[in-house]
Amino acid sequence: MSLKEKINPSKLPQHIAIIMDGNGRWAKQHGAERIYGHENGVKSVREVTEAAAELGVKYITLYAFSTENWNRPQAEVIALMQLLVHTISIETATLNKNNIRLLAIGDLKSLPQDCYHELQEAIEKTKNNTRTTLVLALSYSARWELTDAVKQIAEKIENKTLSAKDINENTITSHLSTAGIPEPELMIRTSGEHRISNFLLWQLAYSELYFTDKLWPDFRKEDFYEAIIDYQHRERRFGKTSEQLIS
Ligand code: IPE
Ligand code: IPE
Ligand code: MG
């Protein structure tokens, strides 16, 4: 029985979020510059997106660049942005062929102009696709997102379109950049680091976390299947007892 066949289609997560980590270490292992690792990570993005679409996973969110990543050496930041523009421009046709919609979350206005435009164009060109949604987290951090949500809510209170007593969890959820996207049931991080690194802090409240030592450029469909199988063996209790779930 192949790993793919071991996946229970009736217990498939709707949304899987991934912290794609380990490109730099992968490059080092290959005696190359860090950007070589980022370039090789693109294949893993393709694999995972394709696997998600084939399985019927409705949303896949990839952490591609964090707010904190702006603090990396300028040469790496520039090279990453160029890689992003190039990849988006050549992959849009494949996304359309595979009926995949592209979305982006994060402080997109802070991206270089060509990158921002390429991204908006790809989002526009793929907007009617329905099989799977690929969400790229770019210049994203959860604290940025939550701060932005608080600003939006405060403005509504200021101009009296919202009253403080009516604020509930839905108010917050609907002001996040992921508004309308279901919460990820599963979050995968590669490269052996066991941390969240400012990713989807609100949305991951009840997600199952899966960590693998594989470096991102080595991550393949089989690794993705393994994570899903692991997830399917977990008991998600949401604060209840095991007995309550059975009855
Ligand atoms: C993840 O790989 C990609 C980005 C953060 C853009 P890293 O570049 O963080 O690789 P390591 O963690 O240094 O190996
Ligand atoms: C998290 O990886 C951000 C992305 C994968 C885009 P980092 O490599 O930047 O995270 P830290 O610094 O190890 O926490
Ligand atoms: Mg890293």
Side-chain angles (χ1 to χ4, degrees):
M1 204 184 201
S2 71
L3 273 179
K4 194 177 181 184
E5 286 163 350
K6 283 190 185 158
I7 295 173
N8 178 352
S10 68
K11 277 178 77 179
L12 206 61
Q14 273 196 90
H15 183 179
I16 300 177
I18 306 182
I19 303 181
M20 313 185 285
D21 198 16
N23 297 352
R25 277 162 282 169
W26 187 91
K28 202 169 182 182
Q29 281 179 3
H30 290 76
E33 298 288 323
R34 294 180 57 85
I35 189 66
Y36 183 66
H38 300 313
E39 284 163 4
N40 278 275
V42 175
K43 180 160 169 54
S44 309
V45 171
R46 263 188 228 117
E47 286 253 329
V48 157
T49 309
E50 210 178 279
E54 285 166 4
L55 289 171
V57 174
K58 282 294 179 193
Y59 292 88
I60 180 128
T61 298
L62 302 179
Y63 202 6
F65 194 86
S66 73
T67 308
E68 288 76 21
N69 289 149
W70 290 112
N71 299 321
R72 290 192 176 192
Q74 218 201 344
E76 181 174 344
V77 172
I78 292 171
L80 263 169
M81 291 300 149
Q82 283 170 348
L83 179 66
L84 197 70
V85 176
H86 179 71
T87 308
I88 293 169
S89 71
I90 58 171
E91 296 294 329
T92 307
T94 314
L95 291 177
N96 274 330
K97 197 178 98 213
N98 294 331
N99 194 13
I100 297 167
R101 173 172 71 139
L102 183 72
L103 287 181
I105 55 170
D107 187 11
L108 305 179
K109 291 265 160 62
S110 70
L111 295 170
Q113 266 201 354
D114 57 342
C115 197
Y116 180 79
H117 287 301
E118 202 63 61
L119 190 64
Q120 293 304 335
E121 207 176 296
I123 290 170
E124 178 62 27
K125 280 185 184 160
T126 62
K127 70 173 186 214
N128 295 321
N129 296 341
T130 53
R131 194 174 176 204
T132 291
T133 299
L134 168 64
V135 185
L136 288 184
L138 286 169
S139 191
Y140 174 88
S141 81
R143 287 184 181 176
W144 166 82
E145 179 182 49
L146 287 162
T147 308
D148 189 65
V150 170
K151 270 189 207 156
Q152 293 177 48
I153 295 168
E155 267 168 30
K156 288 187 183 171
I157 290 179
E158 241 173 40
N159 65 31
K160 300 199 167 22
T161 53
L162 181 67
S163 141
K165 67 176 183 344
D166 294 329
I167 293 176
N168 54 33
E169 287 193 8
N170 285 336
T171 318
I172 297 171
T173 305
S174 64
H175 287 86
L176 298 176
S177 54
T178 51
I181 299 175
E183 285 167 13
E185 294 94 329
L186 171 63
M187 194 286 283
I188 301 171
R189 182 170 189 153
T190 60
S191 90
E193 307 295 354
H194 294 188
R195 55 175 170 265
I196 306 286
S197 298
N198 217 346
F199 189 42
L200 301 176
L201 294 179
W202 175 275
Q203 299 87 336
L204 293 178
Y206 261 108
S207 306
E208 295 299 326
L209 308 182
Y210 179 88
F211 299 99
T212 167
D213 287 339
K214 274 269 169 94
L215 301 176
W216 178 249
D218 288 329
F219 197 83
R220 291 290 167 267
K221 282 186 184 180
E222 299 293 305
D223 301 300
F224 188 63
Y225 300 153
E226 249 177 65
I228 295 174
I229 294 164
D230 189 280
Y231 159 83
Q232 292 189 329
H233 285 101
R234 299 190 191 185
E235 183 178 66
R236 306 189 72 206
R237 289 190 286 276
F238 299 98
K240 294 185 178 175
T241 67
S242 219
E243 290 71 23
Q244 283 176 297
L245 298 176
I246 298 157
S247 61

